[in-house]
Amino acid sequence: MQPQGEVKTIFQKSGQERSDAILRRESKLALGGQRTQLIHSRGAEPPPHAGTDVLTRGPARPKTGRAPEQVARRIVRPMALSAVLHQAFLLAVLFLRASQSEVLGESFQLTPAGLTVSLQPKLQQVNLQWTAAGLTHQEVNGVFQIEISRIKKSNIIWVENYNATVKQNQTLHWHWKSDIPLECVTHFVRIRAMVDDVRYPPQSSWSSWSPWREVREHVSVKPDTLLIYPEKKLFEEGSNVTICLMYGQNMNNVSCKLQEEPIHGEQLDSHVSLMKLNNVAFLSSTGTNINCQVMRGTKKTFGDVLFVSKVLEEPKNFSCETQDFKTLKCSWEPGVDTALAWSQQHSQSYTLYESFSGRRELSNHRNSHNWQITEKSQETYNFTLTTENNLRKRSVNLIFNLTHRVHPKAPQDVTIETISATKANMTWKVQTYGDKYTLLCQVELQHEGEVIYEHNVSVHMSANQLLSDLEPDTKYKARVRCAGANRFWKWSDWAQETFSTPEAAPSQPLDVWRQVWPENGTNAVALFWKPLSNSQANGKIKFYNIVVENQDKPTKPEHYSIRAPSTVIKLNLDRRPYKINITANNSAGASPESVMVISNDSGHEEVWEKRIHGTKDGFRISWEPVSGDALGYVVDWCEHSRGQYCNLQWEKLGPNITSTIITSDTFEPGVRYDFRVFELSMQQNARLIERQTGYTQELAPLENPNVEIKNLTSNSFVLSWQNYSSDSQPGFIKGYSVYLKSKELQCHQNWERHLLPGDSVLCIYDINDPEKKTLTVENLQPESLYEFLVTPYNSAGQGPNETFTKVRTTDERSFMLLQIILPMTFCVLLLITLCYWKSQWVKETCFPDIPNPYKSSILSLIKSKKSPHLIMSVKDCIPDILEVINKAEGSKTQCVDSGKLHTEDAPTKSLSMPPEKDSSGPVPCVFFENFTYDQTAFDSVSRGLIPEPLKDIPHQLGLLATPDKLLNVLEKDYMKSLVESPTEETSLIYVSQLASPICGDKDRLATNPSLPVHCSQYKRQMAVPGSLIPPSLKENNSLTSTILLGQDEQ
Amino acid sequence: MQAQLPQRTLLSFALSVLFLSMARATRGCSNSSQQLLSQLQSQANITGDTRSLLEPYVRLQNLNPSTLREGCHRQPAAFPSEDALRALSKPHFLSTVYVTLGRVRHQLGTLRQQFVKTQDFPELERARQNTQGIRNNVYCLARLLHHPLETPEPTQAEPTRPSRPTTTTPSIFQAKIDSCRFLWGYHRFMGSVGRVLREWGDGSSRSRRHSPLRARRKGARRNRPSASSRSPAPRVQVPR
């Protein structure tokens, strides 16, 4: 450490002989001395230029990469002119001194003696001690010049003049710090003195130099060793460090690193090199490692640890205060901790020194200290806070009056007593500081975190504060803090207490409104009321009382009680005037009454509804007063779609108001709201005077109507959407747009035509009447495809774009055909139905069953005779009937093999036909008809058609004279034949059906051989009940031959 | 380094759990030699990991440069080699471990002054406690096997650190290197102890005569151990 109060002085020097310098003392040192440092070059290495030595402060700080000698040499700069002038000035001064000496008395020589040099290697410090020899006076001021050389005596690196007041037998001390570790190089020191006292004659010259004293910390370096210095030396962050390496004999080519950064050295001699580190940084509290490796020789790791301390910071925000006038609590911000590991440096200490009392106390904490007040009379304190570590010391000062630094304790015993629902009394106590000391307390009342009341109270010992204007049934937090009233320093901590005020009866009547509508012959009344706010309710509303009085006839009022939080009640009242009183009740009482009158015609008013347009801010509702003595008006509103069960909202207005703006957070775009304006009479009777409806913002229709197609024809159809509800749309429907699309479409009059890509035409028809929900589309092409879309529109736009519906017109011809086919189809169906109904009859008439030959009675006859011939003879047969169609009887006999029998037996007279004019015309034909099942045969019997031979075989047919008997016999035979025929059916030839006219009609063959003859027919046989045969049909039997003949003639 | 943090945390957790049970065992030794052996093996394996102590030390003392790390490993401090440990009889082995760990514990205590605050190197205090725990288990095992912790003959220690060239007190740099070597030797020693103990468990390289179970059976026929043998403080000499 260099002494304080150094002086920079410039003096002259020439060649090897240095001129004496008179150094002006400007400040005293603690030792009574003052040092002036002179660095110059002399001896064997004279400076290149004679010039001026420079006095510098502190140890020499050679530049990086230069030897100390060179640095010293560089510092001493010749300045020829100034040197000459300076020398002249000094000579003049010496002359004056010599004159003074002669005046004052005899001069004497001051000589340093007993010089002792010691070292502190860790601090790299050289300490000098000496005494002053030849001192004849008690005390004299002298100047001691000290020279330090490095490596060799001639290499002077430091010259300093040290001024001191010298007493007899006094030992003088001086020290010097080397920038190079003392282990590495040898230093030489010498000293001389001179009297510098105005009381004595000036000494003519310096005393002689003391002998050179060699200074060296001797260390032995073994051949295989590398020593690194300084060891365990502490540096401050940002300082420059010179590291010295001492090699053993066998060591060379050494490379070193600071942690991982290579560092380069400068060879001082063969075994010593220096490494300079500038502006070293703090790396870690465990030190920064320097490790060196020897390239050849030993593989040992050599190294050193550089301990770099952070710069000690000045304490900040140093302050002291007291709470009880017994202890001063001083606090400060300590700054960074400069402690280093390996016990190199402890955390910086903090010491408090009070100058008036002279007490000094070391703090046990880094940031605070409690200073006991011992002298109660002391009011003013002057503190010096000093922090110190191994390298540095810093101090801050604080002076204050104790009464100005009072930080009171938080108030105690805070109590709050509620006087009523709106008043409370708060009391508290404070710590007393004597009669003269008063505190100022701040009272704060908070509700839900918000300060609603603040008041300052001057307090000596205890205080109270009335808290008024409180809300009933409300929770509050009251708190208080205090500070010195005379001189504010700091508020104390808050002391707080929470409390609640008791309930009070509700202060305001309920805001009530009603909705009335007819229901089953009565008036349904829904009463709504708005819950009271906390400030109005003054407590928790428990229930609502409703009293209903009939105003027409005095009856006992009806009471209803509704538990909170319900806000609606529905009553059914007959159509008479009623008065309804409603109150809200809490534990403290009831609110003022709200009165509502229901008149006879409430809910039956008919008022025209007006459409209004709202904005996003709400609706502007205006009305015309009806009567001049209205008590006020009520505007209520509801969502249109909710009906009477909506969430009814209302607003009550004064009598002079005829318009208002209704705003609500619940208003939504696209929702229709219905407003009603009521006029309140003086009797609280409400009369509906206005109905309005509207949207805050209309939106485009959300859906298109479902369109039905009616009356589709070949050239027109009708579109209908009667079911479309235009009221439920998010806007007032203004009309409908009908789009019709087709190819080669000719738009009708009043339709708007648009051409579409692909040769399509779009026709648009606007229906500007929202109530018109049908449209006939005409003049269309038959059997053509059309597409249509019906979409509503309002002020916000039209409905959604949906796909078109396709419809195809019908075919015109097919329509006409349809007009014919339909009746025909109907007739056919009728006929089929009839036929089905008469199916049995039709079957018997048109499709008689084919007789089964096996059932024939002939078979039974054959069987009975057991004729070996399969061919039945005519005699064996019993002819049913023989019909002779042709008059030419001769030819007939030839037609059949046994024609004789036929011709003889056949009753010709009954079937005689009129003769034909053309003999060759008619072809004689013979019909054999089996009337086995023909009822007509029996009828013929009565007409004489039954052949005679029947009478010849009475044993068989005698019983068959009547038709019933005949039928019985035949049936019997038939059944018998069914039993007996199977064995003989293969040999049976049925010959009764057909007679070939070709074989027997010779005349005809001769006369007209080329014509094919088709005169013979098989006549269908049907078993038709005789009763069902119409007379005409019976007559046809005779007519048949006529027709056939006629045909043959053709 | 950050990636190692969870591993270290896991390691610390495992050690805590292990030594918690061990601390309970300190109050009263377990009767199961197998359990003790297993615990010792686990403890030796965990403490043999350099991440438990050496790596934090290297980081805090800025010994990360490779040349310095090599210096740590080049010349281990005086710990018995694995071969030397394996050559010892069981009683001698247990005594050696016991005494060596006592020395380690003391040495770890001296490391505290290398830091400003003990909080800067929490692993150090944990390691001291672990060392004491292992010693207790060694003591219990020796008692269970009726092998009093005999005075171990000095094992053939590896060369100690070189003598100071100039001063009697080592430089801080050298002290750092020495401490680093000491910790490295400690981890290596514990690793060796773990392997030798595992061989005990395997019984592969040990004679039947030294079977812990057999020894326990034999011990059951012996007289109860003297008060001195039950004492956790063994009469052993620290190998130098």
Side-chain angles (χ1 to χ4, degrees), chain A residues 486-552:
Chain A
N486 304 333
R487 180 92 176 200
F488 179 83
W489 168 242
K490 278 182 183 176
W491 286 111
S492 69
D493 292 337
W494 288 102
Q496 63 185 31
E497 195 72 26
T498 57
F499 68 101
S500 295
T501 50
E503 289 189 357
S507 59
Q508 296 291 324
L510 287 166
D511 185 359
V512 184
W513 190 235
R514 89 290 189 278
Q515 175 100 306
V516 185
W517 69 95
E519 189 178 83
N520 299 330
T522 63
N523 275 342
V525 179
L527 286 176
F528 300 87
W529 56 89
K530 294 176 182 174
L532 294 172
S533 64
N534 289 340
S535 61
Q536 295 169 336
N538 290 341
K540 185 180 180 183
I541 299 298
K542 294 186 171 178
F543 58 91
Y544 298 95
N545 270 339
I546 297 105
V547 181
V548 182
E549 282 182 78
N550 190 331
Q551 289 191 307
D552 260 5

Side-chain angles (χ1 to χ4, degrees), chain B residues 209-222:
Chain B
R209 182 170 54 88
H210 291 294
S211 167
L213 294 173
R214 179 182 170 87
R216 190 173 59 176
R217 285 195 296 271
K218 282 175 68 180
R221 293 192 295 270
R222 292 180 187 170

Side-chain angles (χ1 to χ4, degrees), chain B residues 170-214:
Chain B
S171 70
I172 291 175
F173 180 80
Q174 196 57 46
K176 281 187 177 185
I177 298 294
D178 289 348
S179 300
C180 184
R181 286 175 187 165
F182 164 75
L183 294 179
W184 188 77
Y186 163 64
H187 289 304
R188 204 182 66 156
F189 170 73
M190 290 312 298
S192 302
V193 169
R195 283 187 289 276
V196 172
L197 287 172
R198 202 155 42 243
E199 289 170 7
W200 284 22
D202 295 342
S204 57
S205 62
R206 311 301 296 175
S207 66
R208 183 177 293 272
R209 182 170 54 88
H210 291 294
S211 167
L213 294 173
R214 179 182 170 87

Side-chain angles (χ1 to χ4, degrees), chain A residues 220 222 225 227 231-232 259-260 283-287 289-291 293 299-305 307 339-344, chain B residues 57 60-65 67-68 71 74 113-116 120 162-167 169-176 179:
Chain A
S220 62
K222 292 183 178 177
T225 304
L227 298 180
E231 268 192 334
K232 300 181 181 178
Q259 285 301 131
E260 300 197 50
L283 177 69
S284 163
S285 63
T286 55
N289 298 323
I290 298 170
N291 65 94
Q293 297 284 319
K299 289 186 178 180
K300 290 177 184 175
T301 299
F302 300 95
D304 192 12
V305 181
F307 284 95
L340 294 172
W342 296 86
S343 303
Q344 289 300 296
Chain B
Y57 181 83
L60 289 169
Q61 295 290 351
N62 303 308
L63 297 172
N64 284 315
T67 52
L68 298 178
R74 192 180 301 155
Q113 66 178 0
Q114 297 185 8
F115 300 89
V116 174
D120 294 343
S163 58
R164 297 296 302 142
T166 55
T167 57
T169 55
S171 70
I172 291 175
F173 180 80
Q174 196 57 46
K176 281 187 177 185
S179 300

